[in-house]
Amino acid sequence: TCALPIFLQNAYPAIKSEYLAVRQRLDRVPRYHDVDRLQRELSESNSASKNWRVFFLNAMGRKARLHRQQCPTTARVLDRIPGVVQAFFSILEGGKSIPPHSSPYWGYLRYHLALEVPGQGPQPRMRVANQWLVWEEGKGFLFDDSFDHELVNENPNLRSVLIVDIARPMGRLGRIVHAALLFIMGQTYGRWVLRRSAA
């Protein structure tokens, strides 16, 4: 885990450049609940302009080949990080907030590398347990996704991060269980998500 911020923050200029190329085709980047129907409660919005869009690079140990070809530097950096479970650009359109939730799976920790943060107006912020966090472009933070968390965004501009989920440090038995579950999730959830992402 200690190598994660170093790899990603050092590569931030190239990662952001590849993200900006993806953002130019924002209307073709799917909403989260379009690729994962379980996220509908978090992702869906009454407004057509307040979406949570995701561009997957890794999903439960599986690699998104076409997306990684569009973001080769980001893909190479991810391949240097041990234990990557998932990785994707997470793009919140202006005014899109995410209600309180927590991951049902304890086997990973989540890292946010801030790529695009509004410079004016209300600052998007995230609560993890009892702590409020804000993003700073080019920097990131690691948190436990199994803790209750929410995102409040009242800004009319985009807030985008690279999310990288990495295996939580654990003992031998935990690593065995995690590897088995990751294999199963890769063959099911990972396949479904990447198939829908490429549509």
Side-chain angles (χ1 to χ4, degrees), residues 5-167:
I6 297 171
F7 286 152
L8 292 173
Q9 290 182 28
N10 286 348
Y12 164 74
I15 293 172
K16 179 161 186 179
S17 177
E18 292 177 347
Y19 152 73
L20 289 174
V22 170
R23 195 192 70 173
Q24 289 181 350
R25 309 182 302 277
L26 187 62
D27 60 326
R28 295 172 57 188
V29 177
R31 300 170 299 177
Y32 205 166
H33 62 277
D34 290 333
V35 300
D36 178 359
R37 291 167 188 153
L38 296 175
Q39 305 298 331
R40 183 172 297 279
E41 185 177 337
L42 302 178
S43 170
E44 197 167 42
S45 171
N46 293 328
S47 170
S49 63
K50 296 180 181 179
N51 296 300
W52 183 6
R53 298 184 182 272
V54 291
F55 185 86
F56 272 88
L57 299 159
N58 294 58
M60 293 300 166
R62 302 186 70 85
K63 297 180 179 181
R65 183 174 56 85
L66 293 177
H67 287 179
R68 289 165 66 94
Q69 288 175 358
Q70 297 172 49
C71 303
T73 301
T74 306
R76 283 195 297 271
V77 172
L78 292 172
D79 288 344
R80 293 180 62 198
I81 299 170
V84 172
V85 175
Q86 290 196 126
F88 55 96
F89 293 138
S90 171
I91 305 168
L92 285 184
E93 295 180 350
K96 171 59 182 169
S97 295
I98 301 173
H101 64 287
S102 58
S103 170
Y105 182 55
W106 53 266
Y108 65 81
L109 298 173
R110 174 159 286 187
Y111 185 81
H112 279 197
L113 175 68
L115 301 175
E116 185 171 9
V117 181
Q120 296 181 337
Q123 188 77 351
R125 60 197 188 280
M126 183 171 70
R127 178 186 59 80
V128 180
N130 296 320
Q131 183 179 6
W132 285 95
L133 305 168
V134 295
W135 295 269
E136 183 179 344
E137 290 187 11
K139 297 184 179 180
F141 52 77
L142 187 71
F143 69 98
D144 191 330
D145 194 46
S146 68
F147 288 0
D148 184 72
H149 57 286
E150 65 178 309
L151 196 150
V152 176
N153 179 25
E154 300 164 338
N155 196 289
N157 298 305
L158 291 179
R159 186 250 48 178
S160 300
V161 301
L162 172 64
I163 288 179
V164 183
D165 295 333
I166 56 168

